[in-house]
Amino acid sequence: MNSRSGASLPIACGASVMPEQVYALIDCNSFYCSCERVFRPDLNGVPVVVLSNNDGCVIARSAEAKKLGISMGAPWFQLREFARQHGVQAFSSNYALYGDVSDRVMRTIGSLVPAYEIYSIDECFADLTGIPEPLIDMGRAIKDKVFQWTRIPVGVGIANTKTLAKLANHAAKRWIDRTGGVVDLRDPELRDKVLRKLPVDEVWGVGRRLKVKLEALGIQTAWDLAQYDAWSLRKQFSVVLEKTARELRGVRCLDLEEVEPPKQMICSSRMFGTRQYQHSALAEAVASYTSRAAEKLRAQKSLCQVLRVGIQTGMFNPEQPRYANSVTLQLPYPTDDTRVLIQYAQFGLARIFREGYAYSKAEILLAEICQRGEITGDLFTPAQPAIAGQLMATLDAVNRKYGRGTLRAARIREAPGWSMRRELLSQGFTTRIDQVWQI
DNA sequence: TCTGGGGTCCTAGGACCC
DNA sequence: TCTGGGGTCCTAGGACCC
């Protein structure tokens, strides 16, 4: 049975040998903090943290802040005094800045490698297949060029599978003094050494819950997971974990995804800056979030057929009554028209709104998303009128040119009372002409 | 007083089909 | 006494990622 594999297969003969697949995972160090430092070199060496929307909790920490023991997700109000005492610089999230810096980092990487996949705002897989050895030099070249062009420090992990590249990147950061931030994990001896040292939950795809279950099976390290029988992992857990284990052994199960598939769900949800009690305030917030979701929908050239609107009170204060509810609505036709979406969102809100609660958050979810031009209609289902598409295109063009919210639904005020707190916001260094760097 | 905002994929189970 | 063997679609829930 096994005789079909191996060198006897005619297709494997011939002059050219397929080069071995190699991936790199490039990951920005403390990305949001690094972005704040790009135009504030005085912050180098200073502990820096970036807070979530509403200045709620810590979502990024510089190395110095980590050293002080500040943990991810720590509520800011509990930390403020400690931060003041230790000279910690805190910032509100400045997504306009981070998004723009991210674009620059990705374009820089793109100029150096044959193909790449943007995995998140601060991470990117690159295809290094066929690039001349030694690849560790290529890794260092990427790191240096990104820093030279964007002032963002990155780590680079190189391996034959994505899961191992992630692990290599992790190792590069963990043992930065020895690695200089670049690790090539293709050498089996080095790979096994690293696998044995890293706990299983450092593996991409193994989180808190799985860690507990795996440890019950005696799987403590990445090495243990790699050695475990893949088939029984599939039976006991899922095909996902099976692939993870195989990838750890160097068997490729995940490919580079260069084109991002359109999202199947689009969500816009946010905590309010302060608790809201009135239907009118929630109505305004819901209209605003719906507008944002509709923008995202149109940006990927999609239409949606289902809208869900949800509201909730704060969940932490035991003194106040809690309430959370949502309603899912079928739309009259597949649409990307902000006006139609807002209308349905308001209808939904009216159904779930209850008087007398301190609301903290609203959420809009667009679902059953399809691509424009891929809809098969029927005689009895109207299609979205063409004029609506033209109007939305104009709306987006105006807002692109003059800034988000320049043209908006009439019920949304410019500075609403529910908008989020951002008391520690840095400048729009790269996105606002009135806020460019001054020397 | 104060605790984020997005996403994805997979599985199990029920209802239903032939 | 004995009770098949495939499927699909939907929803809820659980796990993960950054």
Side-chain angles (χ1 to χ4, degrees):
Chain A
M1 293 266 270
N2 285 330
S3 65
R4 293 202 308 151
S5 63
S8 65
L9 212 61
I11 202 160
C13 301
S16 68
V17 178
M18 282 286 281
E20 150 198 71
Q21 190 81 36
V22 192
Y23 294 119
L25 187 271
I26 301 125
D27 182 322
C28 303
N29 302 344
S30 309
F31 181 59
Y32 295 171
C33 294
S34 299
C35 288
E36 297 294 349
R37 278 176 171 162
V38 170
F39 296 93
R40 290 282 309 273
D42 58 301
L43 294 177
N44 287 327
V46 174
V48 174
V49 297
V50 173
L51 307 177
S52 62
N53 277 337
N54 240 1
D55 297 344
C57 54
V58 173
I59 54 168
R61 305 157 296 158
S62 71
E64 298 82 1
K66 287 175 193 169
K67 214 168 278 172
L68 283 175
I70 296 173
S71 54
M72 197 72 165
W76 176 237
F77 75 93
Q78 291 175 358
L79 213 67
R80 195 174 301 164
E81 188 49 33
F82 174 87
R84 201 185 55 76
Q85 285 166 12
H86 291 81
V88 177
Q89 275 282 339
F91 291 94
S92 304
S93 299
N94 185 347
Y95 285 104
L97 177 66
Y98 311 151
D100 188 67
V101 173
S102 175
D103 282 347
R104 292 163 196 246
V105 169
M106 299 304 172
R107 285 206 304 272
T108 305
I109 295 167
S111 73
L112 300 169
V113 301
Y116 66 109
E117 169 191 339
I118 297 172
Y119 176 66
S120 75
I121 194 163
D122 71 335
E123 279 180 54
C124 166
F125 285 103
D127 189 355
L128 302 188
T129 307
I131 288 177
E133 300 285 348
L135 288 184
I136 193 94
D137 287 351
M138 179 61 183
R140 292 190 184 119
I142 293 173
K143 181 179 159 65
D144 292 345
K145 186 61 83 180
V146 170
F147 189 72
Q148 186 192 347
W149 284 5
T150 69
R151 291 285 131 180
I152 296 293
V154 300
V156 182
I158 299 166
N160 294 118
T161 68
K162 282 177 148 186
T163 306
L164 281 171
K166 283 280 270 190
L167 216 64
N169 184 284
H170 183 83
K173 282 185 175 169
R174 181 150 176 166
W175 295 292
I176 182 106
D177 293 339
R178 260 183 286 169
T179 62
V182 183
V183 163
D184 181 351
L185 219 50
R186 287 174 301 160
D187 172 48
E189 216 170 292
L190 178 64
R191 181 186 73 196
D192 291 350
K193 203 172 133 193
V194 168
L195 286 178
R196 282 181 216 269
K197 277 194 179 169
L198 290 178
V200 70
D201 59 327
E202 303 289 3
V203 173
W204 189 34
V206 179
R208 223 174 55 243
R209 316 273 179 153
L210 276 176
K211 175 195 163 83
V212 174
K213 291 182 188 170
L214 290 172
E215 280 178 351
L217 293 175
I219 300 173
Q220 309 273 351
T221 65
W223 167 261
D224 296 335
L225 183 60
Q227 296 311 302
Y228 207 85
D229 177 55
W231 184 250
S232 52
L233 286 177
R234 185 190 196 126
K235 277 189 295 186
Q236 291 180 61
F237 298 95
S238 72
V239 64
V240 181
L241 194 63
E242 180 198 3
K243 285 183 182 174
T244 299
R246 289 190 193 278
E247 285 236 319
L248 286 178
R249 289 182 216 164
V251 178
R252 196 155 47 86
C253 302
L254 305 170
D255 290 322
L256 203 70
E257 288 167 33
E258 287 179 69
V259 285
E260 193 187 354
K263 302 230 183 305
Q264 299 172 39
M265 285 179 175
I266 289 174
C267 183
S268 174
S269 89
R270 210 141 299 158
M271 305 270 303
F272 307 133
T274 56
R275 299 287 187 258
Q276 298 297 316
Y277 299 85
Q278 307 299 324
H279 176 267
S280 59
L282 266 69
E284 197 180 323
V286 160
S288 172
Y289 298 179
T290 306
S291 302
R292 180 70 195 113
E295 272 175 30
K296 295 189 202 173
L297 185 70
R298 293 192 294 270
Q300 63 167 31
K301 299 184 167 49
S302 301
L303 306 173
C304 72
Q305 298 176 75
V306 161
L307 177 147
R308 191 180 81 189
V309 50
I311 51 176
Q312 62 179 56
T313 60
M315 293 293 155
F316 289 98
N317 189 343
E319 317 277 285
Q320 286 190 327
R322 294 181 196 178
Y323 172 69
N325 204 353
S326 72
V327 58
T328 302
L329 303 167
Q330 192 77 34
L331 298 166
Y333 44 80
T335 182
D336 62 3
D337 187 337
T338 299
R339 300 167 303 169
V340 175
L341 294 168
I342 287 182
Q343 197 189 329
Y344 275 75
Q346 296 301 337
F347 174 75
L349 175 66
R351 291 221 330 233
I352 56 175
F353 179 82
R354 300 285 178 274
E355 212 60 69
Y357 289 104
Y359 291 98
S360 71
K361 182 180 180 178
E363 173 177 283
I364 293 292
L365 184 80
L366 305 180
E368 282 189 29
I369 286 173
C370 52
Q371 287 305 92
R372 285 179 204 157
E374 282 180 6
I375 304 150
T376 309
D378 64 50
L379 269 178
F380 307 103
T381 312
Q384 173 162 281
I387 188 81
Q390 292 164 26
L391 182 63
M392 289 303 118
T394 307
L395 177 97
D396 289 336
V398 169
N399 286 336
R400 237 188 337 268
K401 184 160 181 184
Y402 297 101
R404 182 172 293 157
T406 303
L407 211 50
R408 59 183 186 271
R411 74 158 70 231
I412 306 168
R413 283 173 295 158
E414 194 167 357
W418 44 265
S419 58
M420 61 187 175
R421 259 197 318 276
R422 294 208 289 182
E423 288 162 1
L424 305 164
L425 188 63
S426 52
Q427 283 167 244
F429 289 108
T430 60
T431 51
R432 293 277 303 263
I433 194 67
D434 56 334
Q435 295 182 9
V436 290
W437 205 18
Q438 292 182 13
I439 299 170

